[in-house]
Amino acid sequence: MASSTTVRKEVEIVKGHRLDYQLYKYLLQYFSEGELERFFESIRKPPSRYYVRVNTLRVSPEELMRSLRERSIDVYPDEYLPEALWFPVKGPNRVPSARKYVLADKRAAESVYVGANLYIPGVVRMDEEVRKGDEVNVIAPNGEVMAFGISEVDSDEIRSTRRGIAVKTLVSVYEMPKVREMREYEQGLFYDQSLPAQWVGRVIDPRPNEVIVDMNAAPGGKTSHIIQLSEGKAVVHAFDRSEGKVRELIEVLSRLGMDGLYRVEVRDTRYLDVDRPDLVNSVDKVLIDPPCTDMGVRPRLFDVKTMDLVISMSNYQRQFIKVAWKLLKPGGVLVYSTCTIPPLENEDNIAYAESLGFEVVNISVPNASGGLISKYRDSVVRFYPHIHDTPGFFIAKLRKPDQRRQ
Ligand code: SAH
């Protein structure tokens, strides 16, 4: 009798990080075993610098740095990107043991790991004995200790309460600055954004009066950078499929003082050419920052990825590229970025864009690598966690050829 259950063979690269066998074999075509290990080992930790982008529409980097330093906050300018500032991340710390524990979900655990408090919605289970004021350890779903802290609630309260702090974190494995609690954050003087993500804005190089479409805009990190680099003078169209995330984008951009400097719509941009025929052939620049397998996101303590997921993401991403071709004017520019590693979602999608008629525009960024496939070694940009101490990232720039030259 044939069995109906399929055995999924998985390989654990480092503690907590598993790939199905197909994806493992696939990645071994590009990375050595040792390099894959170093890659996933670094994914488990945050980068040693926590980056923010200064909102230069409101304040200069020097001024913001001065006011933070006046309050003894450790902050430094990036060596290359003028609007980028960074705070040192501390750790790993030795986390004291407590007798009682609180189990957090994966997302909450990963924030507690870098110093956040544990909020009630992130609690999966609490030791029955826990009373308000008790010392506790916050544990991740894989059993790892994230932090030591003080419970702010009794265990029997937890089911009836929806919001608020469950555990106040005192010692976590890593400590990132709590930038969202700084008054300059509330005042919209900066946005927390990784260094590679900030380079995307620079690669787009937005200019006043350009029509720019951001096809995957929420929560607005790159949209707001585009607005700020064009001094609010570009015609920026932000689209995202998720209504909730679009609400978040509107809030973020409002905090940054950018109300009225862009247009936003909830749209599945795979059909933008049909839904917004007015944009066809009339856009100067398009940004595609699509959903991806997220393999470069840090810190991530545990994860499973499969080849099927990589393949379906790659196909999904190509649908945006096809529409971008239709939206762009001849001579228009496409910037494509992801926070993941497989060439299928990166260089291979650039090859797909070329098959539609796009031409690659060579780019380079300081302290980053070139493409993983020899054809793109000097034309696209990659950041590697284990080499550049950043999230894993990919950036490419393409141009729709000018008709005169066709
Ligand atoms: N560019 C953003 C991050 C984008 S993350 C920033 O810098 O802040 C990817 C986004 O793609 C998600 O917000 C997701 O909602 C959106 N997305 C996924 N499928 C989409 C689709 N078919 N059309 C439009 N947006 C989509």
Side-chain angles (χ1 to χ4, degrees):
M1 203 177 80
S3 159
S4 60
T5 52
T6 40
V7 181
R8 263 177 63 198
K9 277 208 328 205
E10 282 173 357
V11 182
E12 182 162 66
I13 310 293
V14 300
K15 187 172 159 197
H17 283 274
R18 288 178 290 149
L19 304 174
D20 76 349
Y21 194 65
Q22 263 181 298
L23 180 53
Y24 176 62
K25 293 286 275 190
Y26 168 75
L27 289 176
L28 281 181
Q29 298 177 330
Y30 303 98
F31 302 97
S32 68
E33 249 170 90
E35 194 157 27
L36 276 185
E37 264 172 47
R38 286 195 294 281
F39 172 84
F40 282 102
E41 203 47 68
S42 62
I43 285 292
R44 291 177 51 82
K45 306 170 194 146
S48 64
R49 296 174 169 195
Y50 187 84
Y51 271 91
V52 300
R53 192 191 78 232
V54 181
N55 179 7
T56 50
L57 293 186
R58 288 210 156 150
V59 69
S60 72
E62 297 74 28
E63 238 179 292
L64 177 60
M65 212 163 62
R66 203 176 321 120
S67 82
L68 291 168
R69 284 183 168 174
E70 270 167 21
R71 301 209 307 283
S72 309
I73 295 173
D74 230 3
V75 58
Y76 304 91
D78 183 60
E79 291 81 349
Y80 299 98
L81 193 62
E83 61 270 43
L85 300 182
W86 60 273
F87 303 89
V89 172
K90 299 185 189 120
N93 300 316
R94 259 201 51 185
V95 177
S97 334
R99 266 200 235 113
K100 299 173 183 175
Y101 74 90
V102 179
L103 181 65
D105 67 28
K106 183 172 188 244
R107 236 185 108 145
E110 278 167 354
S111 323
V112 173
Y113 183 61
V114 294
N117 293 322
L118 176 63
Y119 288 85
I120 288 172
V123 175
V124 175
R125 198 168 62 231
M126 235 178 178
D127 235 331
E128 275 171 32
E129 317 274 273
V130 174
R131 293 286 160 268
K132 193 172 171 174
D134 281 355
E135 295 180 342
V136 292
N137 281 134
V138 177
I139 311 283
N142 68 344
E144 277 186 70
V145 176
M146 303 288 96
F148 170 88
I150 302 292
S151 182
E152 301 261 297
V153 288
D154 288 345
S155 56
D156 49 6
E157 270 177 71
I158 198 89
R159 251 161 263 122
S160 55
T161 326
R162 292 253 172 80
R163 343 174 32 129
I165 296 179
V167 178
K168 191 161 175 38
T169 295
L170 296 182
V171 185
S172 50
V173 180
Y174 288 96
E175 258 174 282
M176 304 218 284
K178 294 195 173 59
V179 295
R180 294 196 177 205
E181 291 171 13
M182 294 175 186
R183 62 168 171 267
E184 290 83 356
Y185 177 85
E186 273 315 309
Q187 292 164 345
L189 304 189
F190 66 80
Y191 179 80
D192 39 335
Q193 188 177 39
S194 75
L195 182 67
Q198 295 192 39
W199 278 112
V200 174
R202 285 287 172 161
V203 169
I204 298 169
D205 187 22
R207 303 292 171 95
N209 302 317
E210 281 179 344
V211 178
I212 304 180
V213 168
D214 187 341
M215 293 182 80
N216 316 89
K222 298 181 191 75
T223 312
S224 55
H225 200 189
I226 292 170
I227 293 171
Q228 119 185 15
L229 289 175
S230 64
E231 285 157 29
K233 293 183 189 130
V235 182
V236 178
H237 296 268
F239 296 101
D240 200 280
R241 184 175 70 169
S242 153
E243 210 179 314
K245 290 189 75 180
V246 163
R247 251 180 269 127
E248 202 182 325
L249 174 145
I250 293 170
E251 250 176 62
V252 166
L253 271 66
S254 181
R255 185 174 55 75
L256 295 171
M258 295 176 178
D259 292 340
L261 300 181
Y262 67 104
R263 301 151 200 216
V264 63
E265 264 180 54
V266 177
R267 289 257 181 228
D268 182 335
T269 50
R270 291 175 298 165
Y271 311 104
L272 206 53
D273 54 324
V274 180
D275 295 337
R276 287 293 304 269
D278 59 306
L279 290 176
V280 171
N281 256 312
S282 62
V283 174
D284 295 293
K285 286 172 178 168
V286 171
L287 169 62
I288 301 178
D289 187 34
C292 67
T293 51
D294 280 346
M295 288 167 69
V297 175
R298 308 173 61 176
R300 188 149 283 170
L301 285 161
F302 54 99
D303 215 349
V304 190
K305 296 288 187 213
T306 66
M307 190 67 201
D308 277 354
L309 184 66
V310 171
I311 293 168
S312 71
M313 281 294 180
S314 174
N315 291 330
Y316 193 73
Q317 292 149 354
R318 288 180 188 195
Q319 299 182 55
F320 300 112
I321 298 175
K322 212 163 150 181
V323 172
W325 173 264
K326 295 181 187 166
L327 300 183
L328 285 165
K329 293 176 184 166
V333 163
L334 167 64
V335 173
Y336 178 88
S337 60
T338 75
C339 53
T340 200
I341 298 310
L344 259 177
E345 297 180 71
N346 296 321
E347 287 87 348
D348 290 346
N349 278 351
I350 301 314
Y352 169 76
E354 286 186 290
S355 77
L356 298 179
F358 277 108
E359 293 168 352
V360 174
V361 179
N362 291 1
I363 54 167
S364 70
V365 159
N367 284 334
S369 296
L372 196 48
I373 290 174
S374 57
K375 186 179 167 200
Y376 299 115
R377 191 135 298 156
D378 301 315
S379 51
V380 303
V381 165
R382 270 186 179 258
F383 287 88
Y384 294 106
H386 58 299
I387 300 173
H388 306 108
D389 190 18
T390 60
F393 219 85
F394 176 86
I395 314 174
K397 187 171 193 171
L398 299 134
R399 185 188 307 281
K400 182 173 177 172
D402 219 305
Q403 262 154 354
R404 279 161 301 185
R405 291 196 285 124
Q406 273 177 358

